[in-house]
């Protein structure tokens, strides 16, 4: 900005000074024009005045003579004495005019004129006129006429001619003078115009130079502006980067003054100041400001002091911040430019969550240790009594039962723990099949009812066949956990109502109890692992805090949801929802037997007798079967046959291809990869099988009918077998 | 017959201890938590309290403090059961006023020995 201003300023300065200069030139020119005009005028007017005066005087002299002539003639004609006196008085008047004229004599013509006039005066007034008068008064008018005719008239005429010449000369001179004056004036004016033109040209030239300069400056200033913009963009990018980082960052220089700070730190400490006002604060100022919000200000400040001292580098400190309660880890490290330390960076990271997880974990460990020790204590204790005491049979029975139950409790606990670990690590494999929720619920309720006499458990089925795609065991676990919770957390008994219903395209299961309910504050954390509501009324209720976490994980894996509504003190409703499988099952006309109506199944099995057995079984269910002993042969024709399902053995002894590589080969090909593959193997490698894309995995030995059923179920699921109905109970029991 | 008050929230452990001690001809009163234990303690005169460390309501530690600070029978012998295995935790339990400490899981036979030792000191 400064640079731009500066250039703009100097440019306008230049322009202003140029203007001043122009005005000065103009003024100088105008003044000198005026002066020269004045000077010329003065000179010429003097000259002209002189000439005019001469002319006037000469004229007057001439006129006076003429008057005298005519008066003298009048006197001679009429004898009027007044006229004679007038004519004689003219002599004196003419003399005074002569005196005046002599004062302004400047040329030889003037001298000659005055000389002639004086001679004429002498002649006329000194000689001719007195002689004539005396002739006239003496009564000799003829003498007068004689005198006049002889010389006087000629003299007079001569004088009159001469003076007229002189006067007309003067008139000519005057005219010439005027002409010269006008000529001079014109010269001066032309000169002035020339001067103005020169000034204008110079001005034009300079303006052009200035404009060029301005253009240059403008382009320069644009460049500068671009540079400025670029560096500003970079600066704000850096600040944005800093502000985007999740950690609070504080950069201080070696003197302990804040050089850089980001938004997160300001938010962390809830400073109302803007970033700009924090920058520049001194060590003592900012440490005390920060320490005011920290649980243990002394150690916090001493850490900051050490951290900012030159030698102490790369250290970590964990402090608790008050309002809101946060656990913050700060690490400090030196900032080096090449080899010189230029400052220290302090990075404040909010580790509240991690800290809470740690706390939860250690709480979990203590819970687990408590939960493990209690059954262990019973098992060990009762076993010791059994071993060391002579006990009556009924007491023995009681102890054995207790030991058995406690051992089961331990197992369940360990299983829960392993389950959640596996699920959270994503290593749990699910064998999803077509299952009926009602049948699962019946089974779970039956097994759970054994544990209680105080609860009435009922199932209301409002659904029209609640079929889902799921892992039977896992879904069983979901309902076992939920119903078990309902029983556990309604220690005073009550009804447990299970409702099954459809809503839109989902299947819902409500499990409603009349138990303790859930305090509002705990609703959100209810499904997090290790979380247990810590209330005196439920502390005696055993549990790992994993049951609901497991439920949630299983539900997630089934595209399902689980949520809870609860009135603290009067019970809870846990609701699970699953996607309903849009099979045509409901619309099917019941058929008592499974029929596959010509669907093609390819069987690859190296054991010929087993291969035949499978083939026959499948044929009985109306599948078209093509049997291959060698995988290679199967692969050779598979693209032509395009079977609807493939039954594949893994260990193919006489083959260079095993089942795995055949599977990989099939899954690689676009038109084949969707054909369901049923692995039939003695190897228990379900996980590998499913991960490679197997639809089902049957471990030998199995009943051949099982394979046929599995294939049909799958084709049902994919909507291929529209005409097949599998009786419900059969599906349920499998 | 010596009278013992047992406070333990786990029903099965309670059964184990009661069976074990009753076989040795002690009279054992049972309490499922600290509060119940304190009520019983006020009403009856006991020779020994066996307290679980972790109980809902008043914990074993709180029961010890209340008993020791109380007016009646505040010198009663106390045996604390706990899963705590760290030495400093056990020391803390003893420092609060327990006479003996026994770690869970425990051996019933050892429990008998400990109980006898505590009561025979008298």
């Amino acid at each position: 900005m400064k640079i731009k201003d500066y250039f703009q300023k100097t440019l306008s300065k230049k322009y202003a000074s140029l203007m001043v200069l122009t005005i000065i030139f103009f003024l100088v020119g105008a003044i000198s024009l005026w002066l020269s005009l004045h000077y010329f005028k003065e000179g010429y007017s003097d000259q002209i005045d002189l000439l005019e005066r001469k002319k006037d005087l000469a004229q007057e002299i001439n006129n006076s003579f003429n008057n005298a002539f005519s008066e003298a003639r009048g006197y001679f004609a009429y004898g009027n004495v007044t006229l004679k006196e007038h004519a004689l008085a003219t002599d004196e008047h003419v003399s005074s005019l002569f005196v005046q004229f002599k004062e302004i004599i400047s040329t030889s013509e003037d001298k000659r004129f005055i000389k002639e006039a004086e001679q004429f005066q002498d002649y006329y007034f000194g000689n001719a006129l007195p002689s004539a008068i005396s002739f006239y008064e003496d009564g000799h008018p003829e003498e007068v006429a004689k005198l006049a005719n002889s010389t006087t008239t000629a003299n007079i005429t001569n004088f009159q001619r001469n003076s007229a010449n002189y006067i007309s000369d003067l008139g000519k001179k005057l005219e010439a003078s005027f002409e010269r004056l006008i000529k001079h004036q014109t010269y001066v004016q032309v000169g002035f115009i020339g001067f103005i033109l020169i000034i204008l040209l110079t001005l034009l030239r300079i303006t052009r130079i200035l404009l060029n300069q301005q253009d240059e400056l403008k382009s320069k200033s644009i460049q500068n502006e671009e540079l400025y913009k670029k560096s500003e963009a970079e600066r704000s990018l850096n600040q944005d980067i800093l502000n985007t980082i999740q950690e609070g960052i504080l950069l201080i220089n070696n003197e302990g003054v804040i050089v850089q700070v980001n938004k997160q730190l300001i938010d962390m400490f809830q400073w109302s100041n803007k970033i700009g006002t924090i920058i520049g604060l001194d060590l003592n100022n900012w440490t005390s400001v920060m320490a005011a919000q920290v649980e243990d200000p002394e150690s916090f400040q001493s850490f900051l002091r050490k951290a900012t001292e030159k030698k102490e580098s790369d250290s970590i400190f964990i402090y608790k911040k008050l309002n809101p309660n946060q656990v913050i880890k700060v690490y400090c490290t030196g900032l080096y430019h090449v080899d010189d330390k230029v400052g220290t960076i302090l990075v404040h990271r909010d580790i509240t969550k991690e800290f809470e997880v740690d706390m939860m974990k250690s709480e979990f460990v203590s819970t687990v240790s408590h939960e493990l020790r209690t059954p262990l204590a019973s098992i060990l204790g009762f076993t010791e009594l059994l071993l060391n005491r002579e006990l009556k049979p009924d007491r023995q029975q009681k102890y054995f039962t207790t030991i058995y139950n406690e051992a089961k409790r331990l197992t369940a606990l360990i299983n829960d723990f392993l389950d959640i670990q596996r699920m959270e690590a994503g290593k749990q494999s699910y064998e999803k099949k077509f299952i009926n929720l009602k049948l699962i619920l019946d089974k779970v309720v039956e097994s759970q009812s054994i544990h209680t006499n105080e609860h009435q458990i009922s199932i209301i089925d409002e659904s029209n066949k609640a079929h889902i795609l799921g892992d039977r065991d896992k879904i069983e676990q979901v309902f076992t956990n939920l119903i078990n919770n309902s029983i556990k957390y309604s220690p005073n008994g009550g009804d447990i109502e299970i409702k099954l219903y459809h809503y839109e395209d989902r299947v819902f299961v409500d499990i409603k109890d009349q138990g303790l309910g859930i305090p509002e504050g705990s609703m959100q954390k209810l499904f997090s692992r290790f979380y247990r509501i810590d209330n005196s009324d439920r502390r005696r209720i055993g549990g790992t805090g994993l049951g609901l976490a497991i439920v949630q994980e299983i539900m997630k894996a089934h595209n399902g949801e689980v949520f809870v509504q609860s009135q603290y003190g009067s019970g809870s409703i846990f609701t699970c929802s699953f996607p309903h499988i849009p099979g045509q099952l409901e619309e099917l006309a019941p058929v008592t037997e499974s029929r596959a109506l010509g669907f093609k199944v390819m069987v690859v099995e190296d054991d010929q007798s087993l291969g035949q057995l499978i083939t026959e079984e499948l044929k009985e269910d109306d599948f078209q079967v093509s049997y291959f002993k060698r995988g290679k042969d199967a692969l050779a024709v598979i693209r032509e046959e395009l079977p609807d399902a493939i039954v594949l053995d893994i260990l193919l002894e006489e083959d260079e291809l095993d089942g795995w590589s055949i599977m990989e080969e099939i899954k690689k090909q676009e038109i084949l990869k969707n054909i369901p593959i049923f692995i039939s193997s003695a190897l228990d490698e379900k996980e590998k099988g499913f991960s490679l894309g197997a639809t089902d995995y049957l471990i030998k030995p199995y009943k051949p009918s099982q394979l046929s059923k599995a294939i049909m179920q799958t084709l049902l699921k994919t909507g291929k077998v529209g005409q097949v109905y599998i009786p419900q109970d059969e599906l349920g029991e499998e | 017959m010596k009278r013992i008050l047992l406070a333990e929230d786990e029903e099965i452990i309670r059964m184990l201890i009661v069976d074990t001690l009753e076989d040795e001809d002690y009279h054992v009163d049972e309490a499922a938590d600290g509060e119940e234990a304190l009520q019983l303690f006020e009403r009856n005169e006991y020779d020994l309290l066996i307290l679980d460390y972790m109980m809902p309501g008043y914990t074993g530690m709180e029961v010890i403090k209340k008993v020791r600070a109380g007016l009646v029978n505040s010198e009663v012998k106390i045996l604390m059961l706990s899963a705590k295995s760290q030495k400093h935790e056990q020391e803390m339990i003893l420092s609060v006023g327990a006479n003996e400490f026994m770690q869970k899981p425990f051996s019933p036979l050892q429990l008998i020995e400990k109980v006898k030792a505590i009561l025979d000191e008298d």
Side-chain angles (χ1 to χ4, degrees), chain B residues 4-5 41 46-51 63 67 76-79:
Chain B
I4 296 172
L5 172 60
F41 182 74
Y46 292 104
D47 300 295
L48 174 66
L49 303 187
I50 299 175
L51 304 173
V63 175
V67 167
V76 68
K77 300 285 178 191
I78 297 175
L79 169 64

Side-chain angles (χ1 to χ4, degrees), chain A residues 62-93:
Chain A
N62 202 21
N63 288 347
S64 303
F65 277 117
N66 283 343
N67 281 341
F69 299 154
S70 53
E71 277 161 352
R73 277 185 200 127
Y75 173 66
F76 291 135
Y78 308 109
N80 189 335
V81 182
T82 320
L83 289 174
K84 182 192 84 177
E85 280 165 2
H86 266 278
L88 286 174
T90 304
D91 181 25
E92 224 170 294
H93 178 61

Side-chain angles (χ1 to χ4, degrees), chain A residues 369-370 373-374 376-378 380-382 384-385 388-389 391 395 398-399 402 406 409 536 539-540, chain B residues 10 12-13 15-16 19-20 23-24 32-33 54-57 83 85 103-105 107-109 112:
Chain A
S369 98
H370 183 254
R373 276 169 206 274
T374 308
L376 266 178
S378 327
L380 287 171
F382 287 115
E384 203 177 286
L385 290 182
N388 292 289
R389 292 259 164 92
L391 298 169
R395 256 180 92 179
K398 189 173 98 181
Y399 288 178
T402 308
E406 290 299 283
R409 195 168 129 190
S536 59
R539 222 177 274 175
R540 73 180 65 192
Chain B
E10 285 284 341
I12 292 159
I13 305 289
M15 180 175 93
L16 174 65
D19 280 9
T20 307
D23 284 351
E24 298 296 317
D33 57 47
M54 210 148 93
M55 283 188 295
S85 53
Q103 196 189 327
K104 275 183 175 177
S107 142
L109 301 181
I112 294 166

Side-chain angles (χ1 to χ4, degrees), chain A residues 9 31 145 183 250 256 267 312 363 370 382 399 402 424 440 454 468 472 474 512 576 618 622 688 726-727 730:
Chain A
K9 250 185 198 168
I31 288 166
K183 219 174 178 179
L250 187 69
D267 290 348
E312 196 89 17
E363 268 170 34
H370 183 254
F382 287 115
Y399 288 178
T402 308
E424 289 193 346
I440 291 176
E454 295 157 336
I468 64 156
R472 177 181 304 280
K474 295 297 163 199
K512 184 177 165 190
C576 297
L618 291 175
D622 281 346
K688 185 173 179 186
I726 300 161
E730 220 180 306

Side-chain angles (χ1 to χ4, degrees), chain A residues 610-637:
Chain A
L610 183 58
Q612 265 171 359
L613 189 71
I614 292 171
T615 306
E616 273 161 31
E617 171 68 28
L618 291 175
K619 276 182 174 167
E620 251 176 52
D621 283 339
D622 281 346
F623 286 107
Q624 275 185 29
V625 185
S626 47
Y627 167 64
F628 297 90
K629 196 168 184 244
R630 291 151 59 90
K632 233 163 87 180
D633 302 338
L635 278 180
V637 295

Side-chain angles (χ1 to χ4, degrees), chain B residues 5 9 12 19 35 67 71 75-76 80-81 87 121:
Chain B
L5 172 60
D9 59 329
I12 292 159
D19 280 9
E35 218 170 335
V67 167
L71 297 172
E75 296 293 301
V76 68
M80 179 75 103
L81 295 174
K87 203 158 172 84
E121 271 175 16

Side-chain angles (χ1 to χ4, degrees), chain A residues 660-678:
Chain A
W660 300 131
S661 28
I662 292 170
M663 239 177 109
E664 278 170 12
E665 194 56 44
I666 291 169
K667 291 295 173 192
K668 256 190 251 170
Q669 300 188 37
E670 190 61 36
I671 57 161
L672 303 177
K673 70 176 187 190
N674 290 325
I675 300 173
I677 296 174
F678 297 81

Side-chain angles (χ1 to χ4, degrees), chain A residues 63 158 174 270 307 352 371 374 463 484 577 713:
Chain A
N63 288 347
N158 194 35
L174 210 55
Q270 292 163 323
T352 315
E371 294 288 328
T374 308
S463 75
N484 188 251
S577 81
Q713 277 175 11

